[in-house]
PDB file of all heavy atoms in Angstrom:
ATOM      1  N   ILE A   1       2.783  -3.834  22.848  1.00  0.00           N
ATOM      2  CA  ILE A   1       1.903  -2.806  22.289  1.00  0.00           C
ATOM      3  C   ILE A   1       2.477  -2.319  20.962  1.00  0.00           C
ATOM      4  O   ILE A   1       1.755  -2.212  19.977  1.00  0.00           O
ATOM      5  CB  ILE A   1       1.735  -1.622  23.267  1.00  0.00           C
ATOM      6  CG1 ILE A   1       0.961  -2.076  24.490  1.00  0.00           C
ATOM      7  CG2 ILE A   1       1.023  -0.456  22.614  1.00  0.00           C
ATOM      8  CD1 ILE A   1       0.943  -1.110  25.639  1.00  0.00           C
ATOM      9  N   LEU A   2       3.758  -2.064  20.891  1.00  0.00           N
ATOM     10  CA  LEU A   2       4.412  -1.646  19.639  1.00  0.00           C
ATOM     11  C   LEU A   2       4.276  -2.727  18.587  1.00  0.00           C
ATOM     12  O   LEU A   2       3.980  -2.432  17.402  1.00  0.00           O
ATOM     13  CB  LEU A   2       5.858  -1.329  19.907  1.00  0.00           C
ATOM     14  CG  LEU A   2       6.649  -0.666  18.774  1.00  0.00           C
ATOM     15  CD1 LEU A   2       5.999   0.632  18.392  1.00  0.00           C
ATOM     16  CD2 LEU A   2       8.097  -0.479  19.177  1.00  0.00           C
ATOM     17  N   ALA A   3       4.456  -3.987  18.978  1.00  0.00           N
ATOM     18  CA  ALA A   3       4.369  -5.077  18.015  1.00  0.00           C
ATOM     19  C   ALA A   3       2.935  -5.197  17.456  1.00  0.00           C
ATOM     20  O   ALA A   3       2.739  -5.662  16.347  1.00  0.00           O
ATOM     21  CB  ALA A   3       4.791  -6.369  18.665  1.00  0.00           C
ATOM     22  N   MET A   4       1.977  -4.791  18.214  1.00  0.00           N
ATOM     23  CA  MET A   4       0.558  -4.866  17.736  1.00  0.00           C
ATOM     24  C   MET A   4       0.135  -3.625  16.935  1.00  0.00           C
ATOM     25  O   MET A   4      -0.567  -3.690  15.997  1.00  0.00           O
ATOM     26  CB  MET A   4      -0.376  -5.048  18.938  1.00  0.00           C
ATOM     27  CG  MET A   4      -0.147  -6.330  19.687  1.00  0.00           C
ATOM     28  SD  MET A   4      -0.344  -7.771  18.673  1.00  0.00           S
ATOM     29  CE  MET A   4      -2.058  -7.727  18.240  1.00  0.00           C
ATOM     30  N   VAL A   5       0.641  -2.468  17.351  1.00  0.00           N
ATOM     31  CA  VAL A   5       0.224  -1.178  16.729  1.00  0.00           C
ATOM     32  C   VAL A   5       0.864  -0.988  15.361  1.00  0.00           C
ATOM     33  O   VAL A   5       0.231  -0.552  14.431  1.00  0.00           O
ATOM     34  CB  VAL A   5       0.545   0.006  17.677  1.00  0.00           C
ATOM     35  CG1 VAL A   5       0.302   1.331  16.991  1.00  0.00           C
ATOM     36  CG2 VAL A   5      -0.323  -0.079  18.935  1.00  0.00           C
ATOM     37  N   VAL A   6       2.161  -1.275  15.235  1.00  0.00           N
ATOM     38  CA  VAL A   6       2.868  -1.016  13.962  1.00  0.00           C
ATOM     39  C   VAL A   6       2.264  -1.766  12.799  1.00  0.00           C
ATOM     40  O   VAL A   6       1.962  -1.192  11.752  1.00  0.00           O
ATOM     41  CB  VAL A   6       4.385  -1.291  14.129  1.00  0.00           C
ATOM     42  CG1 VAL A   6       5.114  -1.217  12.781  1.00  0.00           C
ATOM     43  CG2 VAL A   6       5.008  -0.275  15.066  1.00  0.00           C
ATOM     44  N   PRO A   7       2.065  -3.092  12.898  1.00  0.00           N
ATOM     45  CA  PRO A   7       1.440  -3.785  11.743  1.00  0.00           C
ATOM     46  C   PRO A   7       0.040  -3.253  11.391  1.00  0.00           C
ATOM     47  O   PRO A   7      -0.310  -3.164  10.216  1.00  0.00           O
ATOM     48  CB  PRO A   7       1.351  -5.243  12.196  1.00  0.00           C
ATOM     49  CG  PRO A   7       2.394  -5.369  13.272  1.00  0.00           C
ATOM     50  CD  PRO A   7       2.424  -4.037  13.928  1.00  0.00           C
ATOM     51  N   VAL A   8      -0.758  -2.890  12.405  1.00  0.00           N
ATOM     52  CA  VAL A   8      -2.084  -2.332  12.118  1.00  0.00           C
ATOM     53  C   VAL A   8      -1.978  -0.993  11.394  1.00  0.00           C
ATOM     54  O   VAL A   8      -2.714  -0.745  10.449  1.00  0.00           O
ATOM     55  CB  VAL A   8      -2.910  -2.224  13.435  1.00  0.00           C
ATOM     56  CG1 VAL A   8      -4.190  -1.506  13.198  1.00  0.00           C
ATOM     57  CG2 VAL A   8      -3.159  -3.613  14.038  1.00  0.00           C
ATOM     58  N   ALA A   9      -1.016  -0.182  11.801  1.00  0.00           N
ATOM     59  CA  ALA A   9      -0.864   1.117  11.162  1.00  0.00           C
ATOM     60  C   ALA A   9      -0.406   0.951   9.704  1.00  0.00           C
ATOM     61  O   ALA A   9      -0.886   1.631   8.816  1.00  0.00           O
ATOM     62  CB  ALA A   9       0.151   1.984  11.951  1.00  0.00           C
ATOM     63  N   VAL A  10       0.551   0.051   9.490  1.00  0.00           N
ATOM     64  CA  VAL A  10       1.014  -0.214   8.120  1.00  0.00           C
ATOM     65  C   VAL A  10      -0.091  -0.747   7.263  1.00  0.00           C
ATOM     66  O   VAL A  10      -0.320  -0.330   6.112  1.00  0.00           O
ATOM     67  CB  VAL A  10       2.217  -1.212   8.146  1.00  0.00           C
ATOM     68  CG1 VAL A  10       2.565  -1.672   6.734  1.00  0.00           C
ATOM     69  CG2 VAL A  10       3.423  -0.561   8.815  1.00  0.00           C
ATOM     70  N   LEU A  11      -0.903  -1.652   7.782  1.00  0.00           N
ATOM     71  CA  LEU A  11      -2.036  -2.191   7.048  1.00  0.00           C
ATOM     72  C   LEU A  11      -3.065  -1.102   6.715  1.00  0.00           C
ATOM     73  O   LEU A  11      -3.540  -1.030   5.594  1.00  0.00           O
ATOM     74  CB  LEU A  11      -2.717  -3.304   7.863  1.00  0.00           C
ATOM     75  CG  LEU A  11      -3.904  -3.988   7.209  1.00  0.00           C
ATOM     76  CD1 LEU A  11      -3.450  -4.687   5.922  1.00  0.00           C
ATOM     77  CD2 LEU A  11      -4.535  -4.994   8.157  1.00  0.00           C
ATOM     78  N   ALA A  12      -3.306  -0.212   7.638  1.00  0.00           N
ATOM     79  CA  ALA A  12      -4.243   0.858   7.421  1.00  0.00           C
ATOM     80  C   ALA A  12      -3.752   1.803   6.332  1.00  0.00           C
ATOM     81  O   ALA A  12      -4.496   2.251   5.458  1.00  0.00           O
ATOM     82  CB  ALA A  12      -4.495   1.620   8.699  1.00  0.00           C
ATOM     83  N   LEU A  13      -2.461   2.090   6.350  1.00  0.00           N
ATOM     84  CA  LEU A  13      -1.899   2.988   5.331  1.00  0.00           C
ATOM     85  C   LEU A  13      -1.909   2.349   3.941  1.00  0.00           C
ATOM     86  O   LEU A  13      -2.281   2.972   2.942  1.00  0.00           O
ATOM     87  CB  LEU A  13      -0.480   3.385   5.711  1.00  0.00           C
ATOM     88  CG  LEU A  13      -0.329   4.399   6.830  1.00  0.00           C
ATOM     89  CD1 LEU A  13       1.148   4.524   7.198  1.00  0.00           C
ATOM     90  CD2 LEU A  13      -0.881   5.734   6.460  1.00  0.00           C
ATOM     91  N   THR A  14      -1.503   1.083   3.879  1.00  0.00           N
ATOM     92  CA  THR A  14      -1.433   0.441   2.548  1.00  0.00           C
ATOM     93  C   THR A  14      -2.781   0.144   1.971  1.00  0.00           C
ATOM     94  O   THR A  14      -2.977   0.160   0.789  1.00  0.00           O
ATOM     95  CB  THR A  14      -0.593  -0.850   2.618  1.00  0.00           C
ATOM     96  OG1 THR A  14      -1.166  -1.711   3.581  1.00  0.00           O
ATOM     97  CG2 THR A  14       0.838  -0.536   2.937  1.00  0.00           C
ATOM     98  N   SER A  15      -3.775  -0.119   2.833  1.00  0.00           N
ATOM     99  CA  SER A  15      -5.084  -0.422   2.305  1.00  0.00           C
ATOM    100  C   SER A  15      -5.799   0.827   1.826  1.00  0.00           C
ATOM    101  O   SER A  15      -6.722   0.731   1.031  1.00  0.00           O
ATOM    102  CB  SER A  15      -5.959  -1.148   3.367  1.00  0.00           C
ATOM    103  OG  SER A  15      -6.147  -0.280   4.470  1.00  0.00           O
ATOM    104  N   SER A  16      -5.332   1.997   2.249  1.00  0.00           N
ATOM    105  CA  SER A  16      -5.956   3.229   1.766  1.00  0.00           C
ATOM    106  C   SER A  16      -5.409   3.623   0.437  1.00  0.00           C
ATOM    107  O   SER A  16      -5.946   4.495  -0.249  1.00  0.00           O
ATOM    108  CB  SER A  16      -5.760   4.360   2.761  1.00  0.00           C
ATOM    109  OG  SER A  16      -4.379   4.674   2.874  1.00  0.00           O
ATOM    110  N   ILE A  17      -4.289   3.036   0.001  1.00  0.00           N
ATOM    111  CA  ILE A  17      -3.700   3.308  -1.345  1.00  0.00           C
ATOM    112  C   ILE A  17      -4.345   2.325  -2.318  1.00  0.00           C
ATOM    113  O   ILE A  17      -4.176   1.139  -2.178  1.00  0.00           O
ATOM    114  CB  ILE A  17      -2.190   3.160  -1.341  1.00  0.00           C
ATOM    115  CG1 ILE A  17      -1.581   4.157  -0.355  1.00  0.00           C
ATOM    116  CG2 ILE A  17      -1.651   3.357  -2.742  1.00  0.00           C
ATOM    117  CD1 ILE A  17      -0.079   4.005  -0.147  1.00  0.00           C
ATOM    118  N   ASP A  18      -5.007   2.791  -3.279  1.00  0.00           N
ATOM    119  CA  ASP A  18      -5.725   2.006  -4.245  1.00  0.00           C
ATOM    120  C   ASP A  18      -5.058   2.155  -5.585  1.00  0.00           C
ATOM    121  O   ASP A  18      -4.553   3.227  -5.943  1.00  0.00           O
ATOM    122  CB  ASP A  18      -7.179   2.536  -4.287  1.00  0.00           C
ATOM    123  CG  ASP A  18      -8.057   1.725  -5.226  1.00  0.00           C
ATOM    124  OD1 ASP A  18      -7.551   1.083  -6.145  1.00  0.00           O
ATOM    125  OD2 ASP A  18      -9.268   1.731  -4.992  1.00  0.00           O
ATOM    126  N   ALA A  19      -5.011   1.079  -6.357  1.00  0.00           N
ATOM    127  CA  ALA A  19      -4.392   1.138  -7.670  1.00  0.00           C
ATOM    128  C   ALA A  19      -5.058   2.154  -8.577  1.00  0.00           C
ATOM    129  O   ALA A  19      -4.433   2.654  -9.507  1.00  0.00           O
ATOM    130  CB  ALA A  19      -4.456  -0.271  -8.334  1.00  0.00           C
ATOM    131  N   ALA A  20      -6.324   2.453  -8.315  1.00  0.00           N
ATOM    132  CA  ALA A  20      -7.032   3.439  -9.142  1.00  0.00           C
ATOM    133  C   ALA A  20      -6.839   4.858  -8.613  1.00  0.00           C
ATOM    134  O   ALA A  20      -7.444   5.771  -9.147  1.00  0.00           O
ATOM    135  CB  ALA A  20      -8.491   3.068  -9.188  1.00  0.00           C
ATOM    136  N   SER A  21      -6.043   5.026  -7.564  1.00  0.00           N
ATOM    137  CA  SER A  21      -5.832   6.383  -7.029  1.00  0.00           C
ATOM    138  C   SER A  21      -5.165   7.248  -8.058  1.00  0.00           C
ATOM    139  O   SER A  21      -4.340   6.797  -8.846  1.00  0.00           O
ATOM    140  CB  SER A  21      -4.966   6.290  -5.783  1.00  0.00           C
ATOM    141  OG  SER A  21      -5.579   5.600  -4.764  1.00  0.00           O
ATOM    142  N   PRO A  22      -5.481   8.548  -8.044  1.00  0.00           N
ATOM    143  CA  PRO A  22      -4.889   9.468  -8.966  1.00  0.00           C
ATOM    144  C   PRO A  22      -3.336   9.445  -8.802  1.00  0.00           C
ATOM    145  O   PRO A  22      -2.820   9.437  -7.675  1.00  0.00           O
ATOM    146  CB  PRO A  22      -5.469  10.793  -8.633  1.00  0.00           C
ATOM    147  CG  PRO A  22      -6.638  10.531  -7.782  1.00  0.00           C
ATOM    148  CD  PRO A  22      -6.434   9.180  -7.187  1.00  0.00           C
ATOM    149  N   GLY A  23      -2.622   9.497  -9.889  1.00  0.00           N
ATOM    150  CA  GLY A  23      -1.179   9.544  -9.823  1.00  0.00           C
ATOM    151  C   GLY A  23      -0.500   8.192  -9.786  1.00  0.00           C
ATOM    152  O   GLY A  23       0.697   8.113  -9.922  1.00  0.00           O
ATOM    153  N   ILE A  24      -1.252   7.134  -9.637  1.00  0.00           N
ATOM    154  CA  ILE A  24      -0.675   5.793  -9.620  1.00  0.00           C
ATOM    155  C   ILE A  24      -1.174   5.048 -10.853  1.00  0.00           C
ATOM    156  O   ILE A  24      -2.386   4.941 -11.055  1.00  0.00           O
ATOM    157  CB  ILE A  24      -1.042   5.009  -8.361  1.00  0.00           C
ATOM    158  CG1 ILE A  24      -0.478   5.692  -7.126  1.00  0.00           C
ATOM    159  CG2 ILE A  24      -0.531   3.583  -8.470  1.00  0.00           C
ATOM    160  CD1 ILE A  24      -0.835   5.012  -5.841  1.00  0.00           C
ATOM    161  N   ALA A  25      -0.211   4.608 -11.668  1.00  0.00           N
ATOM    162  CA  ALA A  25      -0.594   3.897 -12.860  1.00  0.00           C
ATOM    163  C   ALA A  25       0.315   2.692 -13.030  1.00  0.00           C
ATOM    164  O   ALA A  25       1.526   2.793 -12.870  1.00  0.00           O
ATOM    165  CB  ALA A  25      -0.482   4.771 -14.103  1.00  0.00           C
ATOM    166  N   PHE A  26      -0.253   1.552 -13.274  1.00  0.00           N
ATOM    167  CA  PHE A  26       0.497   0.332 -13.491  1.00  0.00           C
ATOM    168  C   PHE A  26       0.604   0.115 -14.991  1.00  0.00           C
ATOM    169  O   PHE A  26      -0.352   0.300 -15.724  1.00  0.00           O
ATOM    170  CB  PHE A  26      -0.163  -0.840 -12.819  1.00  0.00           C
ATOM    171  CG  PHE A  26      -0.094  -0.762 -11.322  1.00  0.00           C
ATOM    172  CD1 PHE A  26      -1.190  -0.275 -10.622  1.00  0.00           C
ATOM    173  CD2 PHE A  26       1.012  -1.152 -10.647  1.00  0.00           C
ATOM    174  CE1 PHE A  26      -1.130  -0.165  -9.241  1.00  0.00           C
ATOM    175  CE2 PHE A  26       1.080  -1.076  -9.270  1.00  0.00           C
ATOM    176  CZ  PHE A  26      -0.004  -0.574  -8.554  1.00  0.00           C
ATOM    177  N   LYS A  27       1.763  -0.290 -15.446  1.00  0.00           N
ATOM    178  CA  LYS A  27       2.013  -0.458 -16.860  1.00  0.00           C
ATOM    179  C   LYS A  27       2.735  -1.769 -17.072  1.00  0.00           C
ATOM    180  O   LYS A  27       3.747  -2.001 -16.361  1.00  0.00           O
ATOM    181  CB  LYS A  27       2.813   0.739 -17.373  1.00  0.00           C
ATOM    182  CG  LYS A  27       3.141   0.663 -18.825  1.00  0.00           C
ATOM    183  CD  LYS A  27       3.993   1.933 -19.177  1.00  0.00           C
ATOM    184  CE  LYS A  27       4.909   1.613 -20.305  1.00  0.00           C
ATOM    185  NZ  LYS A  27       5.787   2.709 -20.605  1.00  0.00           N
ATOM    186  N   SER A  28       2.300  -2.572 -17.999  1.00  0.00           N
ATOM    187  CA  SER A  28       3.030  -3.816 -18.304  1.00  0.00           C
ATOM    188  C   SER A  28       4.257  -3.477 -19.147  1.00  0.00           C
ATOM    189  O   SER A  28       4.228  -2.568 -19.965  1.00  0.00           O
ATOM    190  CB  SER A  28       2.123  -4.719 -19.127  1.00  0.00           C
ATOM    191  OG  SER A  28       1.051  -5.172 -18.347  1.00  0.00           O
ATOM    192  N   VAL A  29       5.297  -4.182 -18.885  1.00  0.00           N
ATOM    193  CA  VAL A  29       6.525  -4.027 -19.635  1.00  0.00           C
ATOM    194  C   VAL A  29       7.047  -5.374 -20.057  1.00  0.00           C
ATOM    195  O   VAL A  29       6.694  -6.410 -19.504  1.00  0.00           O
ATOM    196  CB  VAL A  29       7.613  -3.302 -18.820  1.00  0.00           C
ATOM    197  CG1 VAL A  29       7.208  -1.888 -18.423  1.00  0.00           C
ATOM    198  CG2 VAL A  29       7.976  -4.074 -17.577  1.00  0.00           C
ATOM    199  N   THR A  30       7.844  -5.370 -21.078  1.00  0.00           N
ATOM    200  CA  THR A  30       8.467  -6.577 -21.567  1.00  0.00           C
ATOM    201  C   THR A  30       9.967  -6.401 -21.393  1.00  0.00           C
ATOM    202  O   THR A  30      10.512  -5.344 -21.772  1.00  0.00           O
ATOM    203  CB  THR A  30       8.113  -6.806 -23.035  1.00  0.00           C
ATOM    204  OG1 THR A  30       6.711  -6.929 -23.168  1.00  0.00           O
ATOM    205  CG2 THR A  30       8.779  -8.071 -23.583  1.00  0.00           C
ATOM    206  N   VAL A  31      10.602  -7.400 -20.885  1.00  0.00           N
ATOM    207  CA  VAL A  31      12.066  -7.362 -20.709  1.00  0.00           C
ATOM    208  C   VAL A  31      12.657  -8.520 -21.479  1.00  0.00           C
ATOM    209  O   VAL A  31      12.258  -9.658 -21.284  1.00  0.00           O
ATOM    210  CB  VAL A  31      12.419  -7.488 -19.189  1.00  0.00           C
ATOM    211  CG1 VAL A  31      13.917  -7.519 -19.028  1.00  0.00           C
ATOM    212  CG2 VAL A  31      11.788  -6.358 -18.411  1.00  0.00           C
TER     213      VAL A  31
END
């Protein structure tokens, strides 16, 4: 049960974070 629930919970949390969400900005850098 734990092996099935944890990945689903992580997937649900990460899929709710969108790159366009306020406070998250991606920026290209050169190194």
Side-chain angles (χ1 to χ4, degrees):
I1 293 171
L2 189 58
M4 296 303 293
V5 171
V6 170
V8 171
V10 169
L11 182 62
L13 286 173
T14 57
S15 64
S16 67
I17 299 173
D18 183 335
S21 296
I24 296 178
F26 293 97
K27 178 179 151 187
S28 294
V29 297
T30 301
V31 177

